[in-house]
Amino acid sequence: MEQYVLPILFFVLIGAAAGVLLAVASKLLFVKTDETVENITAALPGANCGGCGYSGCEGYAKAVAEGSAPANLCKPGGPEAVAEISRILGIEVVDSEREYAYVRCNGNCDACSDKFTYIGTNSCAAIEKFYNGKGNCSFGCHGMGDCIAVCDNNAIRVEKGIAIINPELCGGCGKCVKACPNKLIAFVKESQRYAVRCSSCDVGKVTKAVCKNGCIGCGICVRKCPKGAVVLNNNHAEIIADRCNGCGACMAACPVKCIQELPVCGK
Amino acid sequence: MELAKNLMMILLTGILAENFILSKFYGICPFLGVSKTTSGAVGMGFAVTFVMVGASAVTYPIYYGVLVPLNITYLNTICFILVIATFVQIVEMVLKKFIPPLYKSLGVYLPLITTNCAVLGVTILNIDNEYGFLESITNALAGGIGFLLVMVIFSGVRGRIEKCNVPKALEGTPITLIAASITSLSFVGFGGLADGIFGA
């Protein structure tokens, strides 16, 4: 009998002793900790997406509290989180605007034909290694959904062979930006009205041959823009959001209709 | 004199020949996890040394004072885990309250080693080798210093690897494990060192 009772009794006692000791110690040795980190963590959305570059929301909160990170890195939190963090830290609110990810390619199956039939791993990264993808345009969206796989918000769908991001659902964490092997996905600001839906670096002649919707780099939009907000970069147009006044002259002038109007987000 | 010689021998053997990481393969998790930077390795090394010595000092009287008289020595593993976990928690609180700078520098490493096998290993080895109290403490100290030494050496090795062009298939963990095995081989060379010096 003793051989069963003793061990049980021993562990009950030592467990109770350890518990009481810890409880007493935590009361006696209580140290008031800085509440800033906790408050900032509460102000963040808690998605732990890692878009800020820190290990989860708490890691970012710690960095902000220490002053080693700026207050406006949390994209899912948007302007509200920035304002709240700035209030907690007592600093001036840094100007921030919600951004969402946008796929800079419109080379869907109607516009851009395939150069071969691909049978293999269902991944953009894999197909990219294989002659820069199956599409005739080597800069276009492969439509295999590497971005969908990393998206936490189900904001991305593939339609007619290219990825499309729903701006209302996009949390702005930037995981898809990193996942896209062709670097097609970029952030656009919520207030931005127009975006170039092509990022082909081919010269106009080649682009025109491989894709109906591709930017041929003709530069008409650059000349039509009253604010100088459109520039040509690597054979395609790019819109500088800070200069754009939303007049839409570029879109009206584009001969291949690769400049598109962005939706007005209600979020 | 005999005791001093014995202690020196335990110390030397523990640090070099019977190194905890490289010949006993205890504490591989922090060894691979925290050896990326030298500062982290040093912090972890000191924290482990500290906890090893403390844990040995705490478990010794419990083993010989409670477990042996009650004839339940077979429960030492569970009992030691419990005691060490409690010990580390209390040490953490004490440090936080009274020595904040030390708490900050040991910081995250203390809770990490709460149930580390190197710490548990040293307390069980003390019992298995039938060490006395002083010998136990020395053994723990040797284990901790050996741990610190290997952590620092290996953080240097890893620093070199970072700068090298590692073949794609070996990047990350594989090359780290290969480097660890080679470092381990080099420590085999210390075998018999203590015996040679003290002529046992």
Side-chain angles (χ1 to χ4, degrees), chain A residues 3 6-7 10-11 14-15 18-19 21-22 25-26 28-31 33, chain B residues 66-67 70 72 74-75 78-79 82-83 86 89-90 93-94 96-98:
Chain A
Q3 56 183 333
L6 262 183
F10 172 69
F11 273 110
I14 201 168
L21 203 62
L22 280 179
S26 69
L28 282 181
L29 304 171
F30 178 74
V31 182
T33 46
Chain B
V66 185
L67 294 182
L70 290 179
I72 46 172
Y74 63 92
L75 286 172
I78 309 175
C79 174
L82 200 68
V83 170
T86 315
Q89 295 262 308
I90 290 177
M93 286 186 225
V94 171
K96 204 171 178 182
K97 176 88 176 177
F98 298 109

Side-chain angles (χ1 to χ4, degrees), chain A residues 85-194:
Chain A
I85 293 170
S86 307
R87 193 188 60 75
I88 293 167
L89 292 176
I91 56 171
E92 215 169 292
V93 178
V94 191
D95 186 35
S96 80
E97 192 183 334
R98 199 180 87 88
E99 291 183 331
Y100 58 90
Y102 176 77
V103 182
R104 297 179 300 156
C105 175
N106 195 19
N108 56 30
C109 54
D110 299 336
C112 183
S113 51
D114 290 352
K115 58 186 170 208
F116 59 83
T117 308
Y118 175 80
I119 300 166
T121 315
N122 219 2
S123 144
C124 305
I127 200 171
E128 169 69 15
K129 293 240 159 74
F130 204 69
Y131 299 104
N132 288 333
K134 64 178 161 52
N136 270 320
C137 174
S138 50
F139 299 95
C141 176
H142 300 319
M144 291 292 188
D146 278 15
C147 46
I148 298 176
V150 294
C151 184
D152 293 329
N153 298 330
N154 283 331
I156 313 178
R157 63 184 190 279
V158 168
E159 221 169 70
K160 288 183 167 182
I162 55 164
I164 293 168
I165 299 175
N166 184 341
E168 303 275 345
L169 293 178
C170 176
C173 66
K175 282 184 188 169
C176 54
V177 176
K178 290 189 194 110
C180 181
N182 262 344
K183 312 230 176 325
L184 287 175
I185 304 177
F187 281 113
V188 293
K189 289 189 171 150
E190 202 171 25
S191 64
Q192 201 173 324
R193 290 279 45 87
Y194 298 95

Side-chain angles (χ1 to χ4, degrees), chain A residues 186-226:
Chain A
F187 281 113
V188 293
K189 289 189 171 150
E190 202 171 25
S191 64
Q192 201 173 324
R193 290 279 45 87
Y194 298 95
V196 182
R197 211 172 167 189
C198 177
S199 56
S200 166
C201 299
D202 280 329
V203 292
K205 203 177 158 196
V206 178
T207 308
K208 199 169 179 122
V210 295
C211 179
K212 277 186 216 159
N213 292 341
C215 174
I216 53 175
C218 62
I220 292 176
C221 47
V222 179
R223 287 191 293 279
K224 290 281 178 190
C225 181

